[in-house]
Amino acid sequence: MNRPFTIAMVASALMAGTAQPILAQEEADDATEKVAIDKRYVNEINALATRPAVLKANQIFMDLEPQTKQDLIRLTEIPSPPFKEMERAKAYAALMREAGADSVWLDEVSNVLAKRKGKSGKKTVVVEAHLDTVFPAGTDVKVRQKGDTLYAPGVGDDTRGLTAVLTVLRGLEKANIETDADVLFVGAVGEEGLGDLRGVKHLFRPNGPKIDSYIAVDGHGISSITHRGLGSHRYRITFRGPGGHSYGAFGIVNPHGALGKAIAYFTADADQFTKQGIKTTYSVGVIGGGTSVNAIPYESWMEVDMRSESPERLAGVDKLLQAAVQRALKEENAMKRSGPDLTVEVKMVGDRPSGRIEPTVPLVQRAMAVSSYLQAEPALHVGSTNANIPIAKGVPSVTIGSGGTGGGAHSLKEWWLNDKGHLGLQRIMLVLLAEAGMAK
C-alpha cells in the first residue's frame, strides 16, 4: 500500500436499527461533509449478517485462526520485491487451489486469479490483495514473534491482506455459501513503488476480464474505506554531458549545475502553486550522479513524486516541473565555454490515476454499513492503492482493511497483531456477499 496521507473522517456512527441516520464523515480540504448511510443498506447488512450460513462462516474464521497465522508466516517469509513476485505468486496460487476455488491461474504478468463461480455469473466481483512488498531482494523477512505480535518486513502490507482474502475463500467454501455473481479472488503484482499498479492495470486492459465491482484489501482495522484515488506522477530526470577533469575540462557543461537549478526553480514555483486549492504535494525524493570530487560528472539525475486527487492540480504541478527542467537546461547550456550541449531525458516512471467513487454508490454504502454493524466508525479515505485504477475507470471500488492492528509499514520493524482479526474477515465477507448477492 502506498498511502502518504489520510483524509480524516470519522463521525458518530449510531447503532444499526435506530430511527436516527447513521453517519460517516468525509473531510475534504475545504469542508467537512457528513455522509448518511441509507437505511436500506443498514437493513440489508443486518439481514445478511444474521443468516445461518454467514454465522457459520464467522465461526469458521475463528476456528481457522491457527491456519491463517501459519499462512501469514509462510507467505511473509517468501521474498516478494516489485517485479520479483513469482515465487510468492506460485505459493499463493497453490493455497487458493487447496482452499477450493473452481479454477486458479497466473496471468501474463503473474497476477494470481482464483475464480469461484456464482449461480448466475451475470456479474463479476473482485476481491484483491497485493503480492509485492517494498523491500528489495536480500531483505531478511524471517517472522519473529513477541507475545502475540508478529514482526517482519511486509507482514502487514500486504501479506495479511493476502491471507485475509484466502481465508474468506476458505470460509465461503466450508460454510457452503453460494454467491449469485462470479467472484475473482486476486493476488496482484506491482502495487508498491515503481511497480506502478501494473498488476491491476493489466486486469483492466482492453481485452481483460469483465469486472463489475472491485474490493481491494490493504491496511488493517475495520473502519477505513478508501473511495477516492490519490493520483501521482513520478519521473526520473537525467541531465547528461561529456564529463571530464574538474580543472582540465573546466568550462564544459555540468549536469549537477542543471539539476540544482531545476530543483530550485521547480520547488519555488510548486510551493506557490500548492498553497491553495485541493491538497497537492511534490517531493524530490532521490538524487544521484558523479564519480569523484575532482571530476565534472557526465550525468546527474533525480526522482520526483507529485500527488493530488485532482487530475487538474496534478497536471498543473507536473507542468511546473517540465518548465523548470527546460529552463535549467537552457541556462546551463548558455554558460558553457566549450564542448557539446547538455541533454536531458525526462522519463515517467509512475502514473497513478486519480478519481472518486461517490459515497452514495451501493458498494461504498455497503462498506460503511458493515463497519457500523461491527461497531466501528465508518471512515472515508483518499489513498493511493490498487483501487485507483478501477476508481479512475468509474468501476465501483473501495479499499478496506484486513482486520487486526499493525504499524511500521514500509520499515524493517513492521508488525501485525491479531486483535480481533476475525472481524476483518467478517467485514470482507459481508461486503463481498452484499455486492455479489448471496444465492438462496
Side-chain angles (χ1 to χ4, degrees):
M1 174 177 58
N2 199 316
R3 185 182 300 158
F5 67 89
T6 298
I7 303 269
M9 350 164 178
V10 232
S12 48
L14 305 176
M15 291 292 294
T18 62
Q20 298 176 354
I22 301 172
L23 301 176
Q25 199 169 69
E26 175 183 35
E27 184 177 300
D29 292 310
D30 55 354
T32 298
E33 175 188 0
K34 291 184 178 181
V35 180
I37 305 176
D38 193 303
K39 188 68 174 177
R40 59 181 160 165
Y41 298 109
V42 173
N43 292 338
E44 176 188 48
I45 298 304
N46 287 346
L48 185 62
T50 54
R51 293 183 66 167
V54 172
L55 294 173
K56 181 179 179 181
N58 292 342
Q59 183 60 51
I60 289 169
F61 293 149
M62 289 186 280
D63 294 341
L64 286 174
E65 284 194 339
Q67 182 175 3
T68 302
K69 177 181 175 181
Q70 289 306 310
D71 291 337
L72 177 56
I73 292 171
R74 176 186 173 188
L75 289 171
T76 299
E77 292 182 347
I78 301 174
S80 194
F83 303 100
K84 297 180 180 180
E85 303 98 336
M86 179 60 79
E87 185 179 353
R88 183 179 283 193
K90 290 178 179 178
Y92 194 57
L95 289 170
M96 285 291 192
R97 292 188 187 97
E98 181 272 332
D102 293 315
S103 57
V104 181
W105 69 98
L106 271 65
D107 67 14
E108 297 84 351
V109 299
S110 299
N111 289 320
V112 178
L113 289 86
K115 185 174 183 178
R116 191 170 189 267
K117 295 179 182 178
K119 185 175 182 180
S120 74
K122 292 180 180 178
K123 61 183 287 189
T124 298
V125 179
V126 168
V127 184
E128 171 269 324
H130 63 85
L131 289 161
D132 59 323
T133 72
V134 300
F135 303 98
T139 301
D140 181 3
V141 291
K142 179 72 175 177
V143 176
R144 296 168 177 83
Q145 184 166 345
K146 296 180 182 178
D148 294 330
T149 305
L150 301 179
Y151 292 84
V155 69
D157 185 12
D158 189 27
T159 319
R160 164 61 186 179
L162 290 172
T163 57
V165 171
L166 172 64
T167 303
V168 168
L169 171 58
R170 284 200 173 115
L172 295 178
E173 286 292 309
K174 291 179 180 294
N176 296 313
I177 294 175
E178 184 181 10
T179 57
D180 185 66
D182 291 343
V183 180
L184 273 180
F185 295 87
V186 176
V189 300
E191 193 272 350
E192 299 286 7
L194 297 181
D196 199 34
L197 312 185
R198 66 189 180 93
V200 180
K201 287 179 178 178
H202 186 74
L203 286 180
F204 282 89
R205 66 194 184 277
N207 61 336
K210 181 179 180 294
I211 297 171
D212 299 282
S213 297
Y214 198 95
I215 304 165
V217 179
D218 204 346
H220 50 81
I222 58 172
S223 294
S224 66
I225 303 158
T226 298
H227 69 116
R228 295 149 62 196
L230 179 64
S232 65
H233 288 176
R234 292 169 176 170
Y235 287 94
R236 184 181 175 100
I237 295 170
T238 306
F239 291 95
R240 295 188 176 92
H245 194 278
S246 62
Y247 184 83
F250 181 72
I252 65 172
V253 289
N254 189 318
H256 282 354
L259 187 76
K261 290 184 180 71
I263 293 172
Y265 296 148
F266 171 57
T267 55
D269 291 343
D271 175 65
Q272 293 301 311
F273 180 80
T274 57
K275 283 181 177 178
Q276 65 281 321
I278 295 173
K279 184 173 182 178
T280 302
T281 66
Y282 61 94
S283 173
V284 179
V286 187
I287 60 175
T291 56
S292 171
V293 68
N294 61 339
I296 299 169
Y298 63 88
E299 75 171 18
S300 186
W301 55 269
M302 63 177 170
E303 291 179 349
V304 183
D305 174 275
M306 298 167 286
R307 302 185 183 219
S308 180
E309 62 178 292
S310 162
E312 295 77 19
R313 298 291 291 172
L314 184 58
V317 74
D318 189 312
K319 185 177 180 180
L320 295 178
L321 174 65
Q322 308 301 329
V325 167
Q326 293 304 317
R327 178 182 174 187
L329 177 69
K330 181 177 180 180
E331 290 185 3
E332 186 64 25
N333 280 331
M335 289 174 59
K336 73 171 185 177
R337 302 180 187 180
S338 64
D341 279 352
L342 198 67
T343 62
V344 67
E345 177 186 32
V346 179
K347 182 179 181 181
M348 178 173 268
V349 294
D351 183 8
R352 297 186 178 211
S354 55
R356 174 186 177 98
I357 301 298
E358 292 300 327
T360 53
V361 168
L363 176 58
V364 183
Q365 287 279 306
R366 286 165 171 153
M368 290 192 290
V370 171
S371 290
S372 181
Y373 176 81
L374 295 174
Q375 309 296 303
E377 296 179 325
L380 300 179
H381 288 252
V382 60
S384 181
T385 71
N386 270 337
N388 277 44
I389 301 302
I391 286 173
K393 293 181 177 294
V395 175
S397 312
V398 292
T399 298
I400 59 177
S402 59
T405 187
H410 294 197
S411 80
L412 298 177
K413 296 182 179 179
E414 187 173 353
W415 59 273
W416 184 78
L417 173 65
N418 186 15
D419 180 11
K420 299 180 181 178
H422 61 92
L423 294 180
L425 308 181
Q426 292 179 34
R427 183 194 191 201
I428 296 165
M429 178 182 65
L430 286 171
V431 176
L432 170 60
L433 292 179
E435 194 69 10
M438 189 170 171
K440 303 296 184 183

